[in-house]
Amino acid sequence: MNNSDYALEIKNLSISFGGLKAVNDLSFYIKKKEIFGLIGPNGAGKTTVFNCITQFYIPDTGEVLFSTNKGTVENLVGQKVHNIIRKGLVRTFQNVEYVGDLSLIDNVKIGATDQFTSNFFGSLFCSKKSRREEARAEEDAIKYMKYMGIESFKDMMADSVPFGVLKKMELARALMSNPTLLILDEPAAGLNDQETEELAHTIHQIRDDFGCTILLVEHDMPLVMGICDRICAINFGQFLACGTPEVIQKDRSVQEAYLGVSEEEDHE
């Protein structure tokens, strides 16, 4: 496959903490408009990989090649986090990040701040440009809240709404940044079965409606196997296997490391 078909390519990524290799020479690629899963047992290095992609951590070696919203391919290593968001790479967090004493719509509007071009004094004195940007952010926030089915909560304080609504708020906020690659860290954590089913549908809809590539880290294996086009399995920061859900389910190294198949079961 031509590299121009890649939304993201990880090349020989490694990072250590205190002499311990958290990620060790990891490589994989994600195709454009693909729903791609990254799986592995606790401590496998999944969140560390996420943090290296988004430059919360700077890897010791390797490249993170991203196809930006400007049509260029850039190595993200060493770039500022806020600049990466502007290029179209946006992430959610395992624990929903929100400001409890702000309204839900104001929490969603936070996702547009990276696109504001007004300077400090323009915002302070409410210049025409600042007012236009604020009005556009309000309009977009309502649009994405409607899309996520949470518009009726828009004026409620974030601390007072159900957890499932906060999860949808976080997705609405991510869409405010117009992502070309959306990274979801444990999006089903804390959701019940019905909410998880709704989430699966929503992830498909976001990919289809916005042409967005999605990278998913999730422990809910039925969700991962049900929605991902391809999956990469890692353990102790090292590559195990990559392929369709069917390929991953049948891979012996993945079964032993992640799905709980023991050597004794293998010899029965």
Side-chain angles (χ1 to χ4, degrees):
M1 178 175 292
N2 192 301
N3 287 22
S4 64
D5 295 324
Y6 297 169
L8 186 76
E9 186 176 12
I10 305 300
K11 284 187 172 183
N12 308 113
L13 194 71
S14 295
I15 187 170
S16 298
F17 300 105
L20 176 67
K21 279 273 190 184
V23 179
N24 189 5
D25 198 30
L26 181 66
S27 298
F28 62 84
Y29 65 87
I30 304 172
K31 294 181 282 188
K32 291 178 180 177
K33 299 184 182 179
E34 185 173 43
I35 300 176
F36 187 91
L38 183 65
I39 67 170
N42 287 332
K46 305 182 298 296
T47 299
T48 302
V49 173
F50 263 31
N51 286 333
C52 286
I53 291 171
T54 54
Q55 296 303 288
F56 282 87
Y57 296 156
I58 306 298
D60 299 328
T61 60
E63 295 180 298
V64 178
L65 303 177
F66 174 56
S67 180
T68 73
N69 50 18
K70 303 297 184 184
T72 60
V73 175
E74 296 186 22
N75 184 7
L76 299 182
V77 173
Q79 296 199 30
K80 301 293 185 184
V81 173
H82 60 273
N83 287 334
I84 290 171
I85 294 172
R86 291 193 183 107
K87 296 176 192 296
L89 192 154
V90 181
R91 69 169 290 178
T92 64
F93 291 85
Q94 189 171 337
N95 299 312
V96 179
E97 302 286 336
Y98 65 97
V99 182
D101 56 358
L102 286 182
S103 67
L104 210 63
I105 191 169
D106 284 339
N107 272 275
V108 172
K109 285 161 62 177
I110 289 171
T113 54
D114 65 288
Q115 300 175 47
F116 283 10
T117 57
S118 298
N119 60 27
F120 171 78
F121 292 103
S123 299
L124 183 65
F125 295 107
C126 297
S127 67
K128 285 184 178 180
K129 184 177 183 180
S130 175
R131 292 198 299 271
R132 282 198 303 270
E133 290 182 335
E134 179 67 25
R136 186 168 65 248
E138 181 95 6
E139 183 180 323
D140 286 346
I142 291 173
K143 176 178 71 174
Y144 291 123
M145 292 182 82
K146 281 183 178 178
Y147 182 82
M148 296 303 304
I150 57 172
E151 186 196 6
S152 61
F153 296 91
K154 69 183 180 69
D155 296 319
M156 295 179 64
M157 294 298 103
D159 268 341
S160 66
V161 303
F163 183 71
V165 173
L166 289 176
K167 283 280 194 175
K168 292 180 179 180
M169 177 278 295
E170 190 175 37
L171 285 172
R173 185 173 60 202
L175 291 173
M176 291 284 287
S177 297
N178 299 314
T180 56
L181 174 61
L182 180 57
I183 301 181
L184 305 179
D185 190 0
E186 301 280 2
L191 301 183
N192 60 36
D193 290 344
Q194 180 180 343
E195 289 170 333
T196 300
E197 286 184 20
E198 291 177 4
L199 173 67
H201 175 74
T202 299
I203 290 172
H204 272 292
Q205 284 299 116
I206 289 173
R207 189 269 304 274
D208 295 342
D209 292 343
F210 298 99
C212 188
T213 306
I214 294 173
L215 170 56
L216 172 76
V217 161
E218 180 57 63
H219 281 297
D220 188 319
M221 295 309 294
L223 175 64
V224 172
M225 296 297 172
I227 68 171
C228 289
D229 300 304
R230 289 188 307 123
I231 298 166
C232 178
I234 64 175
N235 197 20
F236 298 111
Q238 293 183 304
F239 178 92
L240 287 179
C242 189
T244 64
E246 294 76 19
V247 167
I248 294 299
Q249 286 174 317
K250 293 175 182 177
D251 188 277
R252 176 53 57 181
S253 63
V254 175
Q255 291 172 348
E256 291 177 356
Y258 191 78
L259 301 177
V261 175
S262 66
E263 293 182 6
E264 288 79 8
E265 290 173 313
D266 191 32
H267 289 100
E268 287 180 358

